[in-house]
Amino acid sequence: MSNAVAIDGLNNIIGTNGVADNQPNERYKAISLQALDKVAENHPELKEHLYDVKLAGMVFPFKASPYYVDELVDWKGGNVKEDPFYKLIFPTLDMLIPEHREKLEAAHKVGDPAGLIKVVAEIREDLNPHPAGQKELNAPKEDKLTGVQHKYSETVLVFPAAAQTCHAYCTYCFRWAQFIGNDELRFAQKEAGSLFDYLAEHEEVSDILMTGGDPMIMRTKSLAQSLEPLCDPNFLPHIKNLRIGTRSLSFWPQRFTTDADADELIELLRRAREEGGRHIAIMAHLSHKRELSTDKVKAAVNRIQKEAFATIRSQSPIMRGINDDSEVWAEKWRLEVSMGIIPYYMFMARDTGAQQYFDVPLVKAQRLYSDAIRSCSGLIRTARGPSMSCTPGKVEVTGVEEIMGQKAFILRFLQCRDEGWIGRPFFAKYDDKAIWYDDLKPLDGMELPWDEKGLPKPVPAALN
């Protein structure tokens, strides 16, 4: 190991400088790879995994919050590496296919920093940094719209430049390419004016979805550049719904309660709702009921609902080793509904990053969804899934049945680039190993509704 490149400092993470001595948990400061030795002093169970996390963290972005590390990871439960909340944040070399792992470890052992950085870049390029045509198909071809996607007619996604990081990073994040310091791979909308100009020209748009990264990493003053105009009901009146995708309830619920500008944030959301007449939806990424167990998150939920008058909807991918269990989902949904949170989506792992480490076969995911939803009250059956957010649209696996003597998946589009397909059932051959839409094969005598590029075919005239 004498020639091995020092791992610390080679992971290009935005805005992470370690943890200050005696840092209070109420003041957010990110935990980076460089700070892991200090974390291990407080949580010695991490010490034996430091090499694994640091080397894997050169490929997969790592960032954690003090709240998450200290209050959600179960450090005393046995093998911490098997804890779902450890897996959710701390990368491991097991996330790499054997070829990539061998290549990375060999480059590290040689001790050439330039060579190691080159190998990391090559591995990342192989991990499909922009799945589902995000760059090629979803982005409007306008120079100023560098952080906008418009895949479905009624919804525009915006990636504010100041929101292209998070309070912490999920190991399975499908937008990991936003966080590795490569501007060519990032979506980032630097100003709101050109977005508003675009929206004024597209009155078919009813929904803005602010995403990232995480918009809740932004200071309220920055967030107001996008939200303040929407407090005027006469400004872009066709925009009815504002959705904000966030993981902050899990990673830093203090954003809504004790952060220095938390009061201003709540007031801004309230004004967009009460004065602007917009429906405000906090699209919370919640994977497990443990994320809703602390007093801090309960206080945040209460404030969002009762002071900002916003709705909270929950969504999460199903991930092997984290929440691939029907009772985990049923318990999560029951707790959410009891807290006034609306279950919304169960997603499949996207075809990017460490999909092969986290993936769950379609057949298992559909069975798990059915078992979970079956054991819950009707109030919980707002949850849709399992759904693949893929090139043609959002494809839901609704069941497995025998069709014309063939065992088959029954599927439907919940969203589609061609609205004519939305809600229509279609069929594919049963395959117990299929994990993504491009693994599916048509039933004999039928066709799948997308072409070889994944784009929807025209709806047959006989179906109209």
Side-chain angles (χ1 to χ4, degrees):
M1 293 294 290
S2 60
N3 293 327
V5 177
I7 299 172
D8 293 344
L10 285 179
N11 191 313
N12 186 7
I13 298 298
I14 301 169
T16 61
N17 299 306
V19 181
D21 289 340
N22 303 315
Q23 175 182 305
N25 208 27
E26 298 304 318
R27 178 173 174 263
Y28 174 76
K29 194 164 187 181
I31 300 171
S32 68
L33 282 182
Q34 293 86 345
L36 283 182
D37 290 324
K38 187 167 185 61
V39 173
E41 290 177 13
N42 297 324
H43 301 290
E45 297 82 4
L46 179 61
K47 289 182 179 179
E48 65 180 290
H49 305 300
L50 284 174
Y51 171 81
D52 182 40
V53 175
K54 289 181 179 182
L55 192 53
M58 295 183 64
V59 174
F60 302 101
F62 171 81
K63 184 179 180 183
S65 72
Y67 165 81
Y68 185 94
V69 168
D70 293 337
E71 300 195 35
L72 292 183
V73 176
D74 183 6
W75 295 103
K76 305 298 183 183
N79 181 2
V80 71
K81 200 172 178 182
E82 294 304 313
D83 177 58
F85 283 70
Y86 178 94
K87 286 186 174 184
L88 201 151
I89 285 292
F90 291 96
T92 171
L93 292 169
D94 297 338
M95 291 164 56
L96 295 168
I97 62 172
E99 175 189 350
H100 286 162
R101 178 172 181 163
E102 292 169 9
K103 191 174 180 180
L104 179 65
E105 290 192 294
H108 173 253
K109 189 174 181 180
V110 166
D112 174 15
L116 180 56
I117 290 170
K118 181 174 182 290
V119 165
V120 167
E122 291 171 353
I123 293 173
R124 284 172 167 173
E125 185 62 30
D126 286 347
L127 297 179
N128 189 22
H130 280 302
Q134 292 184 86
K135 278 280 190 185
E136 301 84 2
L137 302 174
N138 298 355
K141 303 299 188 275
E142 298 183 24
D143 291 342
K144 291 185 178 180
L145 296 177
T146 54
V148 172
Q149 293 184 23
H150 194 179
K151 181 176 181 179
Y152 307 123
S153 63
E154 73 282 359
T155 304
V156 161
L157 275 67
V158 58
F159 298 72
Q164 298 320 302
T165 182
C166 302
H167 291 98
Y169 297 146
C170 300
T171 44
Y172 55 74
C173 181
F174 77 92
R175 290 202 177 121
W176 58 271
Q178 295 287 101
F179 313 134
I180 61 175
N182 186 334
D183 288 343
E184 292 184 3
L185 295 179
R186 294 177 76 216
F187 287 100
Q189 186 63 25
K190 295 179 181 178
E191 43 80 36
S194 56
L195 167 67
F196 292 146
D197 290 344
Y198 181 82
L199 291 172
E201 296 172 0
H202 290 270
E203 293 192 2
E204 75 277 14
V205 176
S206 61
D207 291 41
I208 298 173
L209 172 53
M210 297 185 72
T211 185
D214 190 330
M216 287 304 162
I217 199 77
M218 299 167 71
R219 296 296 87 200
T220 303
K221 184 177 180 180
S222 295
L223 192 60
Q225 294 179 19
S226 297
L227 268 59
E228 183 69 36
L230 297 172
C231 296
D232 177 358
N234 298 313
F235 180 76
L236 300 177
H238 58 288
I239 302 299
K240 306 298 184 184
N241 306 306
L242 175 64
R243 309 186 217 168
I244 301 175
T246 183
R247 198 75 156 102
S248 54
L249 285 175
S250 303
F251 291 158
W252 193 251
Q254 296 95 315
R255 180 68 190 94
F256 302 98
T257 55
T258 59
D259 272 9
D261 60 348
D263 292 348
E264 289 83 356
L265 171 63
I266 294 296
E267 176 65 8
L268 180 63
L269 295 174
R270 184 200 67 78
R271 289 184 56 231
R273 171 69 181 90
E274 295 295 289
E275 297 175 16
R278 325 287 175 162
H279 173 70
I280 308 299
I282 302 299
M283 313 303 291
H285 183 162
L286 297 167
S287 305
H288 195 285
K289 71 172 186 177
R290 197 190 302 176
E291 292 165 84
L292 294 168
S293 65
T294 71
D295 290 340
K296 289 177 179 140
V297 74
K298 291 173 185 176
V301 167
N302 189 63
R303 199 160 193 220
I304 291 167
Q305 294 170 334
K306 296 182 179 178
E307 295 184 43
F309 306 118
T311 299
I312 304 174
R313 295 178 182 268
S314 75
Q315 55 191 19
S316 172
I318 176 172
M319 293 288 168
R320 180 169 15 121
I322 293 176
N323 59 6
D324 56 334
D325 180 277
S326 61
E327 191 55 29
V328 167
W329 281 85
E331 289 177 350
K332 180 179 86 80
W333 286 334
R334 292 187 198 111
L335 179 56
E336 287 169 350
V337 167
S338 74
M339 297 174 68
I341 299 171
I342 302 171
Y344 189 48
Y345 264 117
M346 172 194 285
F347 288 115
M348 299 299 297
R350 290 204 187 189
D351 56 335
T352 184
Q355 184 196 34
Q356 49 80 32
Y357 181 74
F358 291 109
D359 66 46
V360 174
L362 296 178
V363 64
K364 178 180 177 180
Q366 198 285 321
R367 187 182 304 122
L368 185 154
Y369 169 86
S370 296
D371 289 346
I373 211 79
R374 200 178 293 123
S375 66
C376 296
S377 82
L379 290 174
I380 291 166
R381 293 174 189 168
T382 53
R384 295 179 288 185
S387 174
M388 296 175 278
S389 290
C390 49
T391 301
K394 286 187 173 70
V395 177
E396 181 184 55
V397 184
T398 64
V400 175
E401 297 292 345
E402 187 171 295
I403 307 294
M404 298 188 301
Q406 303 175 72
K407 197 173 184 180
F409 286 119
I410 303 174
L411 309 106
R412 65 170 178 162
F413 278 107
L414 299 174
Q415 275 281 23
C416 188
R417 293 182 188 275
D418 180 346
E419 295 175 357
W421 280 109
I422 296 174
R424 295 182 184 274
F426 61 96
F427 310 99
K429 285 184 178 179
Y430 175 85
D431 180 352
D432 61 6
K433 294 182 176 61
I435 60 171
W436 199 238
Y437 88 104
D438 54 7
D439 294 325
L440 299 174
K441 306 297 180 187
L443 283 181
D444 295 342
M446 295 187 180
E447 293 184 353
L448 292 173
W450 50 76
D451 62 22
E452 66 279 358
K453 295 181 180 179
L455 297 175
K457 298 175 181 176
V459 178
L463 297 181
N464 288 321

